[in-house]
């Protein structure tokens, strides 16, 4: 992604904050068709590196593609806004678009069924924390049942 120097950052802490705030990212595989799916992600830091966790339905064609070739990029889109030239005090100016996004690339590693359940629970509990309404522990039997139809990955 192109970003002029004053607007570009390769700061892992900033990327982690953006992922944590945005949650939904588009995972794009490095296959010839650049297969993609929007998925929810949770970010963790392990040994100084960002590790993203998510899961996808085993019927999603991306699941098979990533099992065969495990490279990908995840794009997170944050807030965006049109900036009118009329807002500038000096003229002439042209319109532009302000936006926040994070592009993270890496290797996809599928995890065990137990780790998949942990990932699903962590994603859910993270979003429910502020609502205090629902906890994954209250639906553990159901989560265990549906976990056979999903694959967790980092």
């Amino acid at each position: 992604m192109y970003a002029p120097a004053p607007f570009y950052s390769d700061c892992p802490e900033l990327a982690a904050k953006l992922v944590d705030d945005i949650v939904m990212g588009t995972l794009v595989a490095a296959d010839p068709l650049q297969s993609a799916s929007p998925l929810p992600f949770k970010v963790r830091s392990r040994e100084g590196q960002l590790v993203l966790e998510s899961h996808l339905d085993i019927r999603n064609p991306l699941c098979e593609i990533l099992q065969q070739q495990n490279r990908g990029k995840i794009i997170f889109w944050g807030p965006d806004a049109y900036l009118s030239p009329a807002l500038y005090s000096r003229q002439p100016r042209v319109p532009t678009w302000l936006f926040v996004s994070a592009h993270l690339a890496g290797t996809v590693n599928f995890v065990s069924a137990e780790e998949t359940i942990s990932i699903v629970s962590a994603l859910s509990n993270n979003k429910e924390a502020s609502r205090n309404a629902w906890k994954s522990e209250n639906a553990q039997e159901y989560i265990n049942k549906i976990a056979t139809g999903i694959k967790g990955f980092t």
Side-chain angles (χ1 to χ4, degrees):
M1 177 185 91
Y2 169 74
F7 304 109
Y8 176 83
S9 173
D10 59 3
C11 173
E13 292 82 12
L14 179 57
K17 176 74 173 124
L18 288 171
V19 172
D20 196 43
D21 288 347
I22 298 167
V23 180
M24 287 298 289
T26 301
L27 174 57
V28 183
D31 68 318
L33 296 176
Q34 296 182 319
S35 303
S37 280
L39 300 166
F41 287 88
K42 180 150 179 55
V43 64
R44 297 184 193 272
S45 182
R46 287 190 197 143
E47 300 169 11
Q49 289 199 27
L50 295 183
V51 176
L52 302 179
E53 299 176 333
S54 190
H55 61 283
L56 59 120
D57 191 304
I58 60 173
R59 297 169 297 183
N60 184 330
L62 191 57
C63 188
E64 186 176 331
I65 291 165
L66 291 169
Q67 287 175 329
Q68 293 174 11
Q69 76 76 26
N70 63 350
R71 299 283 307 160
K73 178 182 279 190
I74 307 163
I75 302 168
F76 295 90
W77 276 99
D80 66 275
Y82 173 78
L83 184 60
S84 170
L87 297 173
Y88 289 98
S89 58
R90 290 189 341 207
Q91 296 292 333
R93 294 288 187 208
V94 295
T96 192
W97 209 274
L98 304 175
F99 62 92
V100 175
S101 72
H103 293 220
L104 304 161
T107 303
V108 174
N109 298 298
F110 286 98
V111 299
S112 69
E114 294 79 26
E115 289 173 286
T116 297
I117 292 169
S118 176
I119 287 171
V120 170
S121 295
L123 277 164
S124 301
N125 290 339
N126 183 52
K127 295 315 291 178
E128 290 289 335
S130 63
R131 295 179 186 88
N132 214 7
W134 182 87
K135 299 214 179 304
S136 62
E137 297 82 31
N138 298 339
Q140 203 58 57
E141 187 176 316
Y142 182 69
I143 291 170
N144 293 342
K145 179 181 169 185
I146 65 168
T148 59
I150 59 177
K151 283 264 193 199
F153 63 90
T154 61

